[in-house]
Amino acid sequence: MAPILYKIDLSPPANAVRMLAHIIGLQLELKDVAFSSMEHKSPEYVKKNPMGQIPTLDDGGFILGDSHAIMIYLLSKYGGNKSELLYPSDAQARAVVNQVLFFDASILFSRIKVVTLPTVMGTLKSPSERHLADIEEAYGMLEAFLSRHSHVAGDHLTIADLAIANTLYAGVLIKKLDAEKFPLTTAWYKKMQEEPSYKEIAAYGSSLLSQALSFTWQKCPEDLETDAPPLVAL
Ligand SMILES: N[C@@H](CCC(=O)N[C@@H](CS)C(=O)NCC(=O)O)C(=O)O
């Protein structure tokens, strides 16, 4: 039986997991969560994921939350010979990947989510200067990681790239990536957007999120930076 992934299409963490599944050729059974009616906070959902967040994985009754933990689990169980590259076993190489995964969870995605979540729920009418400065500062950290390697956590694609690329599609809708200030991040993000799994999964998530943010901010989707054509309003 295929593992079940509880998701919504515009969720960067859910899409990171889906990109990983695409890359390793793992079939997932996708189940949509009714985010706007707060299904992710319902007693039944919270029993599965005490954080009340999306995504959640159910692999034959083994239940796991957090996209980073889910990606590591799926790779170790189903990754086959792709695991070594995507999540190296060498202690130091793996530690570098972990560092960027924790950076994503604790800094980059957090600083973006404090804007996207209330916006999608319709309560934040625009990001504050402080929000923008915090996101820009996090871009600087990412640029520093990318000055060390060709990818965010090594010289090849790892699950850290999947996590960050998805987070970044949300980030750039709030704070444009300035190619002069962040040339390495800009070039790396362009490369990631060319990945078949990004085109298949994240590009759609990005365009949906662009619609949702522009709707609340009462802007045209074209005024936000996105990598996919706008869709009709959600
Ligand atoms: N660290 C988590 C973050 C997940 C997350 O925040 N997901 C959002 C949807 S994109 C969510 O469920 N937000 C609702 C909430 O945090 O209450 C992960 O990587 O899975």
Side-chain angles (χ1 to χ4, degrees):
M1 245 176 41
I4 298 167
L5 187 74
Y6 293 89
K7 57 92 181 168
I8 51 173
D9 282 336
L10 54 67
S11 162
N15 287 338
V17 173
R18 292 179 61 195
M19 275 179 69
L20 173 70
H22 188 273
I23 291 170
I24 63 176
L26 172 68
Q27 184 83 30
L28 293 173
E29 185 186 339
L30 300 173
K31 286 201 177 165
D32 277 299
V33 178
F35 197 74
S36 53
S37 49
M38 305 295 281
E39 187 190 342
H40 55 298
K41 301 296 180 194
S42 67
E44 201 185 317
Y45 189 92
V46 169
K47 226 186 275 167
K48 294 191 187 82
N49 182 342
M51 297 173 281
Q53 292 180 333
I54 292 161
T56 299
L57 182 82
D58 178 347
D59 186 13
F62 172 72
I63 309 215
L64 197 62
D66 189 275
S67 60
H68 311 87
I70 294 171
M71 286 196 285
I72 292 169
Y73 167 75
L74 288 179
L75 256 187
S76 63
K77 186 149 180 215
Y78 301 105
N81 57 14
K82 298 237 167 85
S83 303
E84 186 54 36
L85 268 181
L86 288 163
Y87 192 52
S89 56
D90 172 77
Q92 291 183 353
R94 177 164 291 196
V96 170
V97 175
N98 288 339
Q99 174 179 236
V100 177
L101 293 176
F102 296 138
F103 160 71
D104 181 52
S106 62
I107 299 183
L108 188 63
F109 187 68
S110 305
R111 292 183 185 191
I112 290 167
K113 186 172 116 171
V114 293
V115 177
T116 52
L117 185 58
T119 302
V120 167
M121 301 317 278
T123 56
L124 183 69
K125 293 302 170 199
S126 68
S128 68
E129 286 305 315
R130 179 59 195 265
H131 288 137
L132 299 177
D134 284 349
I135 293 171
E136 175 118 331
E137 185 189 45
Y139 288 169
M141 299 170 193
L142 185 52
E143 186 76 6
F145 286 131
L146 280 161
S147 71
R148 300 174 176 179
H149 324 272
S150 68
H151 288 68
V152 295
D155 284 320
H156 54 79
L157 186 93
T158 66
I159 52 174
D161 294 284
L162 306 182
I164 299 287
N166 280 279
T167 296
L168 212 52
Y169 81 60
V172 298
L173 296 171
I174 305 163
K175 179 74 192 161
K176 236 175 126 135
L177 250 185
D178 181 337
E180 282 188 11
K181 270 195 204 159
F182 308 113
L184 301 172
T185 306
T186 304
W188 165 85
Y189 185 44
K190 281 208 175 101
K191 231 171 17 196
M192 288 302 297
Q193 288 174 303
E194 291 307 313
E195 286 286 327
S197 59
Y198 187 98
K199 289 185 174 168
E200 179 79 22
I201 294 153
Y204 180 63
S206 156
S207 100
L208 277 180
L209 186 59
S210 155
Q211 274 297 317
L213 300 184
S214 54
F215 181 77
T216 306
W217 293 342
Q218 307 211 319
K219 281 190 173 176
C220 295
E222 308 80 65
D223 293 340
L224 308 178
E225 183 176 308
T226 185
D227 55 356
L231 304 171
V232 286
L234 285 174

